[in-house]
Amino acid sequence: MRKTVIAGNWKMNMTPSATRTFMETLAPMVKGKDKCDIVLCVPFVDIATAVEATRGTNIKIGAQNVHFEPKGAYTGEISAEMLKEVGAEYVIVGHSERRTYFGETDTTVNLRTKAALAAGLTVILCVGEVKEQRLSGITDEVVTMQTKLALADISAEELKRVIIAYEPVWAIGTGLTATPEQADETCGVIRRALAGLYGEEVAEATTIQYGGSMNDKNAAQLLSKTNVDGGLIGGASLKPDAFTAIVDAANA
Ligand code: PEP
């Protein structure tokens, strides 16, 4: 059985004090809803507060990026060891906003994934096509290539701590959502890529999320699909009610 994981990506939102209030509000709302893992990936400066505010709850905390070097002259960067020590358990790698605005490449996505895994973090690895690629009919090739390049030199054992997030770029923050059928089909393509790399059994055991304007209204339908094992949620993860409704859909 694959684990369903509902993860929030707060992006550049929420101060530490707002983080504390949010976590104290959310924790009782999702208490006991254990058919899915619940993760919130918060800004670096909010991690310590989030970890403290969620201690003893079923909410786990993650970061939104990690540098691939262990330490050194990389002004403004954060290492995997730093994240681990402050209490983060997860980290998003390769989000399309990092690929688009901050020069992230398939090579650096691979390096970051390896560094995070080596430090004991669980990686939420994002792949997804842009609108022109979907319209040109090359979505399958794009997500297969991104998946394979991101996972170069990563063992089947390490893959147990990798969650893949299929995030069509045209659906992120746009209010446009892939249809449940599109989400299921492309998550299935990613699963086949994993089967090619690691074999069927490993592919079947890997959690593949859908992300892209998932919300309280569309979550149930998206999550009902065989190949969709959870969600990576941006906007709706900033609202305790909407995020809880998505957790509820995963617990139904
Ligand atoms: C995301 O940032 O990963 C995301 C899916 O955002 P949104 O839910 O706002 O589209």
Side-chain angles (χ1 to χ4, degrees):
M1 266 289 276
R2 305 192 273 272
K3 225 186 268 173
T4 299
V5 181
I6 300 297
N9 172 17
W10 277 4
K11 313 193 187 194
M12 196 172 72
N13 292 290
M14 302 271 195
T15 61
S17 59
T19 298
R20 180 175 299 284
T21 305
F22 182 99
M23 296 302 174
E24 286 171 1
T25 306
L26 183 70
M29 295 171 77
V30 297
K31 189 172 176 203
K33 298 178 179 173
D34 290 334
K35 283 197 194 158
C36 65
D37 285 355
I38 302 169
V39 182
L40 281 162
C41 296
V42 304
F44 290 133
V45 296
D46 296 336
I47 293 175
T49 305
V51 167
E52 197 206 301
T54 55
R55 196 160 283 134
T57 75
N58 55 342
I59 303 169
K60 296 170 182 172
I61 301 303
Q64 299 169 18
N65 192 23
V66 60
H67 194 60
F68 40 82
E69 294 294 345
K71 63 178 172 180
Y74 301 101
T75 302
E77 294 298 320
I78 301 282
S79 75
E81 188 191 358
M82 292 171 186
L83 294 180
K84 195 70 186 152
E85 187 167 326
V86 79
E89 294 179 68
Y90 291 74
V91 62
I92 297 172
V93 172
H95 191 279
S96 69
E97 286 154 17
R98 298 229 50 99
R99 293 181 193 251
T100 305
Y101 305 136
F102 301 103
E104 193 77 66
T105 66
D106 288 318
T107 304
T108 55
V109 168
N110 174 247
L111 291 172
R112 289 181 210 280
T113 302
K114 286 195 279 201
L117 291 171
L121 294 162
T122 294
V123 171
I124 300 177
L125 172 64
C126 302
V127 299
E129 81 286 1
V130 299
K131 186 172 155 205
E132 294 70 25
Q133 291 167 332
R134 178 158 283 269
L135 294 176
S136 311
I138 58 168
T139 295
D140 295 3
E141 288 87 341
V142 170
V143 297
T144 297
M145 190 185 70
Q146 288 177 339
T147 302
K148 287 185 174 173
L149 291 172
L151 295 175
D153 303 322
I154 287 164
S155 69
E157 189 54 35
E158 288 172 313
L159 193 76
K160 289 180 183 162
R161 282 186 289 113
V162 177
I163 294 163
I164 314 269
Y166 165 54
E167 299 213 300
V169 179
W170 48 270
I172 297 179
T174 58
L176 295 174
T177 315
T179 63
E181 292 68 32
Q182 285 171 327
D184 190 42
E185 193 186 322
T186 310
C187 288
V189 169
I190 295 166
R191 204 174 301 287
R192 282 199 291 285
L194 295 176
L197 293 172
Y198 299 100
E200 287 290 339
E201 202 176 317
V202 172
E204 283 302 316
T206 304
T207 296
I208 304 179
Q209 301 171 314
Y210 166 78
S213 301
M214 187 185 273
N215 59 37
D216 46 337
K217 310 275 182 307
N218 58 29
Q221 269 198 312
L222 288 160
L223 294 171
S224 73
K225 292 296 177 185
T226 315
N227 278 305
V228 178
D229 310 317
L232 181 57
I233 298 121
S237 73
L238 294 165
K239 302 174 204 139
D241 286 350
F243 192 66
T244 301
I246 298 170
V247 169
D248 286 340
N251 276 264

